[in-house]
């Protein structure tokens, strides 16, 4: 009996264990099934983009998404993400690919800013790889050229600042990436070598910049097609660039800053009457700096600090807008455009007065970004007419400070984010290509002021003020919007409009990007016209003119206003939506 | 199927090349050198026109801001049509001032019996309201027009040229304008 009762007890135990196991198994099966079903339910089908690129369209991803100014570049970044690499790896691969696929806007001959957000540590940081003035630079270096100053600032060797892109990408990969520079460059080498059909955007920019290119490039340069601009559909190849990337992949960035490529850069710059030396290149160092932060209502804005003035002014503009019922006034209503244009004019007065390289001049960042200062500006703006002049803010300057472009955004499956803006300044930069290298040198020295007394006057080792504003916008501590744009001084105005379109006017990201834009500024405190895209209703333009604004009507979708790229994160659903600007060749690629 | 496709493609090619050839063959030499090249709208294509003129071996002067006095010793006025806000800004002009400059040139050329050759080399990208306004005003004075075909997709040039009986030559690409340009001048 005892034996049988033990057996019974054992049997009961076994049975109970089996029941527990079976219940656990069932629960696991149920969970797996639920997960499978929910995955099935949430699986996103990416529809093909519409034939009319102007129509709002969301690129979609669940595990990762790259949005960039060119489809080949976006695909290069996606390839990196799919292989298990992180957002920083993908951003650098995309940046390399843009040099091959959109060479007129950025590349290793230029520089930029990269805002990185690391999901696990919830850390945001900025890599500043803005170009620097050569050590031979001086405040009067352009002024003394007299009537030819404009040409010297844009189209000669004197316009070339020391490039920072490659050093910046390298730093980002070493600190936050998982792959080598060689791996990040691999797809770009293929693109440069295999070539691609030139787009309408490429062709029209190639024609627009023809005079400078014809003056600075040889007949056989790949940046012209038999000495003439490329037509849409012509095939563009750049085997010299592929060779340069291979060399860098094999020997590292030392080859660019101290090796044979450095010697070619200096030879090209000096042959075009520039002053850059081997020492300038050898001395170049990118910097990791603290991100600049601000808020718009219940959103936190994280961007690059000066000398990238765009982020600072973007926060400033949104601070001012917080004082107004913009939503009630309506999207692109005369009242909205009037008030924001007036705010922009005040901001440009501050920009002229205060913004320089923070390594050398004191920039009153905290004062410029204070809500009180924004409210003071808002109160000075008349509701029914433009002002005659726009003075800069008066601050205690000794107060301590805190610490023609392309934009790309990346998010990976871990939720890491990169918002990267970079440039060679004007389209095709100076149009100078170091012999046999295939990359264009920037004309970023033109971003220095022509006024030798300016805080932004050229000086040895200074970085010129930039309007770039790579942005990550957070809500409840999590990324909601990743955004940026090219467009020179229009950058922060365009980004502010996109942020308002999303937050105040409930537009989808791409609707917000494609919506008609406007811009105004002041020079020496005097108002400049409001530029608008011709899609704005005639009645709106008339109303602005009636209250005293001069209005310049530009093309319906004008590259003048930039080419924004963005990612919106739907946190609850874990879906990434990409918006890419049809003003250029913007594209997204997700999985 | 493949053979039919090949035949179709072949015929299309022959028709296209035939059309291009006939455009060049139909170009009548009506202009004389030297020519003054300027834009109507400060576009970048004015530089391309100068390169084409150089390659065509023509005796030309390029002046982005030509005035009536520049027509002295000129036998043909070449207007490269297309407004560029960037170009206008660089020249310190607005569209109205540019229109006045070109009007004065056209008026003087009519006084001096200097024929006008109009070029539109920017294709579809160089269209838009401001460009169209300039085309509508100045193309009507042309003795001949050479345009990149994609700029005339909507028949805008065709309509004006037919109404004014102006010979219109369409080319596929900017570079293709070289031959008609060469043949348009008496040698």
């Amino acid at each position: 009996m005892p034996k049988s009762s033990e057996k019974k007890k054992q049997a009961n135990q076994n049975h109970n264990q089996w029941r527990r196991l079976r219940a656990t198994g069932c629960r696991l099966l149920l969970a797996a099934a639920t997960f499978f079903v929910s995955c099935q339910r949430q699986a996103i089908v990416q529809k093909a983009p519409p034939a009319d690129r102007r129509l709002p369209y969301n690129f979609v991803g669940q595990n990762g998404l790259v949005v960039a100014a060119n489809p080949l570049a976006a695909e290069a970044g996606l390839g990196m993400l799919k292989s298990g690499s992180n957002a920083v790896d993908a951003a650098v691969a995309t940046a390399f690919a843009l040099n091959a696929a959109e060479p007129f806007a950025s590349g290793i001959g230029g520089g930029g800013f990269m805002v990185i957000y690391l999901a696990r540590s919830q850390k945001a940081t900025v890599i500043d790889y803005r170009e620097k003035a050569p050590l031979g630079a001086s405040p009067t270096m352009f002024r003394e050229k007299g009537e030819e100053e404009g040409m010297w600032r844009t189209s000669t060797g004197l316009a070339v600042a020391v490039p920072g892109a490659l050093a910046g990408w390298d730093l980002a990969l070493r600190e936050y990436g998982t792959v080598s520079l060689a791996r990040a460059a691999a797809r770009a080498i293929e693109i440069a070598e295999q070539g691609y059909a030139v787009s309408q955007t490429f062709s029209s920019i190639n024609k627009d910049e023809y005079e400078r290119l014809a003056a600075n490039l040889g007949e056989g340069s790949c940046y012209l097609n038999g000495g003439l601009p490329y037509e849409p559909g012509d095939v563009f190849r750049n085997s010299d660039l592929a060779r340069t990337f291979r060399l860098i992949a094999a020997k590292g960035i030392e080859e660019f800053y101290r090796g044979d490529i450095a010697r070619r850069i200096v030879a090209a710059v000096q042959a075009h009457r520039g002053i850059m030396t081997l020492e300038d290149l050898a001395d170049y160092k990118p910097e990791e700096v603290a991100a600049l932060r601000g808020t718009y209502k219940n959103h936190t804005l994280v961007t690059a600090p000066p000398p990238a003035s765009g982020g600072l002014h973007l926060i400033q503009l949104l601070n001012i807008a917080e004082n107004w019922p913009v939503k009630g006034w309506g999207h692109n209503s005369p009242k909205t455009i009037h008030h924001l244009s007036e705010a922009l004019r005040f901001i440009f007065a501050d920009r002229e007065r205060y913004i320089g390289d923070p390594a050398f001049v004191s920039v009153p960042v905290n004062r410029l970004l204070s809500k009180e200062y924004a409210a003071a500006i808002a109160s000075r703006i008349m509701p029914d007419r433009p002002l005659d002049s726009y003075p800069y803010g008066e601050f205690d300057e000794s107060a301590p400070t805190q610490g023609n472009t392309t934009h790309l955004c990346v998010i990976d499956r871990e939720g890491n984010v990169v918002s990267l803006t970079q440039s060679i300044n004007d389209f095709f930069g100076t149009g100078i290509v170091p012999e046999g290298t295939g990359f264009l040198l920037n004309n970023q020295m033109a971003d220095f002021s022509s006024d030798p007394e300016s805080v932004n006057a050229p000086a040895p080792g200074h970085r010129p003020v930039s309007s770039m504003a790579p942005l990550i916008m957070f809500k409840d501590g999590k990324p909601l919007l990743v955004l940026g744009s090219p467009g020179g001084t229009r950058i922060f105005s365009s980004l502010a409009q996109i942020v308002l379109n999303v937050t105040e006017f409930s537009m989808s990201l791409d609707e917000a990007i494609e919506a008609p834009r406007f811009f105004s500024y002041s020079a020496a405190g005097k108002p400049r016209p409001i530029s608008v895209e011709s899609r704005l209703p005639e009645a709106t333009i008339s109303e602005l003119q009636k209250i005293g604004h001069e209005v310049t009507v530009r093309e319906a979708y004008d590259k003048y206003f930039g080419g924004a790229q963005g990612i919106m994160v739907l946190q609850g659903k874990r879906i990434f939506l990409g918006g890419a600007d049809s003003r250029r060749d913007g594209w997204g690629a997700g999985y | 199927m493949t053979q039919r496709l090949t035949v179709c493609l072949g015929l299309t090619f022959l028709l296209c090349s035939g059309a291009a050839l006939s455009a060049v063959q139909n170009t009548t030499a009506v202009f004389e050198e030297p020519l003054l090249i300027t834009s109507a709208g400060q576009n970048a294509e004015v530089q391309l026109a100068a390169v084409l003129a150089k390659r065509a071996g023509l005796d030309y002067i390029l002046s982005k801001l030509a005035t009536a006095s520049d027509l002295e010793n000129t036998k043909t006025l070449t207007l490269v049509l297309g407004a560029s806000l960037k170009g206008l800004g660089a020249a310190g002009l607005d569209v109205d001032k540019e229109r006045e400059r070109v009007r004065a040139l056209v008026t003087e050329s009519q006084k001096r019996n200097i024929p006008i050759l109009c070029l539109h080399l920017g294709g579809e990208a160089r269209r838009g309201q401001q460009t169209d306004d300039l085309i509508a005003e100045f193309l009507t004075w042309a003795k001949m027009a050479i345009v990149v075909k994609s700029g005339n997709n909507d028949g805008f040039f065709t309509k004006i040229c037919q109404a004014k009986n102006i010979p219109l030559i369409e080319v596929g690409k900017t570079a293709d304008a070289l031959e008609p340009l060469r043949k348009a001048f008496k040698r």
Side-chain angles (χ1 to χ4, degrees):
Chain A
M1 276 301 283
K3 273 189 180 177
S4 80
S5 84
E6 256 182 42
K7 271 185 185 172
K8 201 172 178 182
K9 197 176 168 187
Q10 187 67 43
N12 278 341
Q13 277 176 350
N14 287 344
H15 181 68
N16 286 340
Q17 270 181 350
W18 165 240
R19 269 177 37 184
R20 275 199 299 274
L21 270 174
R22 197 174 57 180
T24 308
C26 283
R27 277 199 296 273
L28 280 172
L29 270 172
L30 188 65
T34 307
F35 177 73
F36 179 73
V37 168
S38 72
C39 283
Q40 290 294 303
R41 196 179 296 135
Q42 287 182 5
I44 301 298
V45 179
Q46 176 77 70
K47 290 180 194 165
D52 180 357
R53 293 198 59 241
R54 307 299 189 193
L55 293 174
Y57 174 79
N58 289 319
F59 295 92
V60 184
Q62 285 182 297
N63 296 300
L65 182 63
V66 183
V67 187
N70 181 279
L72 290 169
E75 294 292 344
L78 177 65
M80 194 60 92
L81 287 181
K82 279 183 170 174
S83 72
S85 301
N86 71 15
V88 175
D89 304 325
V92 175
T94 309
F96 259 119
L98 279 169
N99 194 164
E102 197 205 29
F104 49 82
S106 71
I108 59 175
F113 300 89
M114 188 186 310
V115 182
I116 299 169
Y117 171 73
L118 302 167
R120 192 167 295 170
S121 57
Q122 298 189 326
K123 173 189 171 183
T125 188
V126 175
I127 307 287
D128 171 352
Y129 52 98
R130 179 70 162 160
E131 301 90 332
K132 288 186 176 180
L135 294 171
S138 74
T140 56
M141 63 187 280
F142 292 120
R143 178 60 65 87
E144 64 200 20
K145 299 298 180 187
E147 284 184 4
E148 289 190 323
E149 182 182 335
M151 184 268 293
W152 280 92
R153 292 167 70 86
T154 59
S155 311
T156 68
L158 211 55
V160 184
V162 184
L166 201 54
W169 303 345
D170 182 61
L171 175 62
L173 284 182
R174 279 189 284 112
E175 293 296 321
Y176 302 107
T178 66
V179 301
S180 66
L181 201 67
R183 171 88 196 287
R187 178 63 187 131
I189 292 170
E190 291 173 1
I191 295 169
E193 213 149 50
Q194 292 164 4
Y196 49 88
V198 160
S199 67
Q200 179 73 58
T201 303
F202 189 133
S203 170
S204 66
I205 292 170
N206 203 213
K207 283 177 184 167
D208 278 347
E209 306 302 332
Y210 178 70
E211 186 174 2
R212 183 161 4 118
L213 294 177
N216 281 340
L217 295 171
E219 276 274 309
S221 166
C222 71
Y223 289 106
L224 291 173
N225 193 7
L228 291 172
Y230 284 86
E231 302 283 351
D234 288 348
V235 174
F236 176 85
R237 285 191 189 86
N238 192 344
S239 52
D240 282 350
L241 185 66
R243 198 177 314 118
T244 297
F245 283 170
R246 277 208 179 89
L247 207 55
I248 292 164
K251 297 187 173 181
I253 67 165
E254 285 293 296
E255 182 63 15
F256 186 91
Y257 288 100
R258 294 169 191 270
D260 183 52
I261 300 173
R263 286 187 284 279
R264 286 171 189 257
I265 292 171
V266 169
V269 168
Q270 293 187 356
H272 289 84
R273 298 169 289 174
I275 53 175
M276 196 187 295
T277 63
L278 286 171
E279 186 189 359
D280 289 317
L281 280 161
D283 279 356
Y284 185 86
K285 295 274 182 300
E287 291 172 42
E288 183 171 358
V289 294
L292 186 69
R293 288 168 184 272
T295 60
Y296 176 69
K297 296 189 174 171
N298 57 345
H299 299 92
T300 302
L301 306 160
V302 175
T303 183
S309 73
L312 187 151
H313 296 319
L314 169 65
I315 297 170
Q316 222 185 336
L317 183 55
L318 291 170
N319 278 348
I320 298 169
E322 263 184 350
N323 292 278
W324 297 321
V326 176
K327 187 175 183 175
W329 289 347
H331 175 247
N332 278 351
S333 68
K335 207 164 190 174
T336 302
I337 295 174
H338 163 71
H339 281 79
L340 290 174
S341 296
E342 291 286 276
L344 281 166
R345 290 164 177 171
F346 275 105
I347 288 169
F348 270 93
D350 286 335
R351 186 178 196 269
E352 275 181 3
R353 176 68 184 83
Y354 292 112
I355 313 300
D357 183 347
F360 298 93
V361 300
S362 173
V363 183
V365 172
N366 291 342
R367 304 295 297 274
L368 289 166
L369 292 187
S370 79
K371 299 285 184 186
E372 293 75 23
Y373 180 54
I377 291 179
S379 69
R380 295 171 75 172
I381 291 170
M382 306 298 285
D384 56 350
R385 62 187 163 85
L387 299 172
D388 295 327
S389 64
Y390 303 84
Y392 52 78
E394 296 282 358
F395 306 123
D396 174 8
E397 288 177 58
S398 63
T401 62
Q402 281 189 354
N404 265 332
T405 312
T406 196
H407 184 82
L408 67 93
C409 314
V410 183
I411 188 163
D412 65 22
R413 62 187 312 150
E414 307 297 328
N416 301 310
V417 173
V418 175
S419 185
L420 182 159
T421 309
Q422 58 183 24
S423 182
I424 50 174
N425 202 19
D426 286 345
F427 284 130
F428 288 97
T430 49
I432 298 171
V433 176
E435 193 182 353
T437 63
F439 65 87
L440 288 151
L441 290 171
N442 70 81
N443 56 3
Q444 218 67 257
M445 292 294 284
D447 273 0
F448 283 114
S449 171
S450 58
D451 175 5
E453 301 300 318
S454 166
V455 290
N456 185 35
H462 283 222
R463 291 165 298 170
V465 169
S466 158
S467 296
M468 294 180 211
L471 173 71
I472 305 175
M473 189 167 92
F474 294 81
K475 191 175 182 188
D476 302 327
K478 291 182 176 169
L480 169 69
L481 196 60
V482 190
L483 192 63
S485 179
T489 51
R490 280 79 62 196
I491 287 175
F492 59 90
S493 162
S494 292
L495 295 183
Q497 288 168 59
I498 294 167
V499 169
L500 291 173
N501 289 348
V502 169
T503 57
E504 300 293 340
F505 302 112
S506 306
M507 291 187 198
S508 73
L509 178 57
D510 202 43
E511 269 182 300
I513 287 172
E514 298 295 341
R517 292 190 198 147
F518 60 89
F519 171 70
S520 190
Y521 67 107
S522 64
K526 295 296 172 195
R528 303 295 299 153
I530 301 178
S531 295
V532 301
E533 287 184 315
S534 63
R535 290 176 290 149
L536 270 190
E538 191 59 46
T540 304
I541 295 168
S542 299
E543 185 64 29
L544 289 166
Q545 288 167 329
K546 210 160 71 184
I547 63 171
H549 287 288
E550 192 183 329
V551 180
T552 302
V553 179
R554 304 189 69 97
E555 297 301 324
Y557 292 85
D558 202 312
K559 288 191 283 288
Y560 173 80
F561 297 97
Q565 325 294 346
I567 293 175
M568 183 178 274
V569 184
L570 307 183
Q571 286 287 353
K573 298 178 182 171
R574 199 181 161 74
I575 293 172
F576 312 135
L577 300 178
D581 206 322
S582 70
R583 290 171 184 83
R584 296 217 335 226
D585 294 333
W587 197 262
Y591 79 115
Chain B
M1 183 67 184
T2 313
Q3 275 180 332
R4 200 178 298 164
L5 187 68
T6 311
V7 169
C8 283
L9 284 172
L11 279 172
T12 309
F13 174 75
L14 282 173
L15 282 170
C16 290
S17 54
L21 194 63
S22 72
V24 175
Q25 285 173 338
N26 289 339
T27 309
T28 318
V30 293
F31 299 106
E32 291 180 74
E33 300 167 73
L35 61 149
L36 172 66
I37 302 174
T38 192
S39 75
Q42 297 298 318
N43 55 68
E45 294 84 68
V46 73
Q47 294 288 342
L48 297 178
V51 170
L52 294 176
K54 187 178 178 185
R55 290 184 180 182
L58 299 173
D59 179 11
Y60 72 95
I61 291 172
L62 167 66
S63 175
K64 291 182 186 175
L65 297 170
T67 60
S69 63
D70 292 313
L71 288 168
E72 194 73 37
N73 301 322
T74 293
K75 292 191 175 171
T76 299
L77 171 62
T78 302
L79 289 179
V80 186
L81 304 171
S84 160
L85 284 175
K86 186 181 172 196
L88 287 165
L93 296 170
D94 60 23
V95 167
D96 292 335
K97 283 182 191 159
E98 173 70 347
R99 187 179 287 111
E100 286 307 313
R101 181 186 72 84
V102 182
R103 264 183 202 153
L105 263 178
V106 168
T107 304
E108 187 65 20
S109 73
Q110 297 306 300
K111 266 191 218 166
R112 294 173 184 242
N113 286 322
I114 296 172
I116 296 173
L117 167 63
C118 279
L119 305 177
H120 185 263
L121 303 176
E124 198 176 2
R126 187 68 75 201
R127 287 287 304 277
Q129 196 53 54
Q130 288 176 331
T131 290
D132 290 359
D133 290 347
L134 292 171
I135 293 169
E137 177 164 355
F138 298 118
L139 179 60
T140 56
W141 297 98
K143 197 167 182 180
M144 180 186 288
I146 302 174
V147 305
V148 170
K149 197 176 171 67
S150 67
N152 190 31
N153 279 341
D154 59 355
F156 188 62
F157 287 90
T158 306
K159 201 184 282 180
I160 295 172
C161 287
Q162 279 178 350
K164 295 287 178 180
N165 205 22
I166 301 164
L168 171 66
I169 295 155
E170 285 187 331
V171 296
K173 294 178 174 185
T174 307
D176 300 337
L178 176 62
E179 274 312 298
L181 184 67
R182 195 199 312 268
K183 287 180 182 290
F185 283 81
K186 297 173 186 169
R187 307 305 288 266

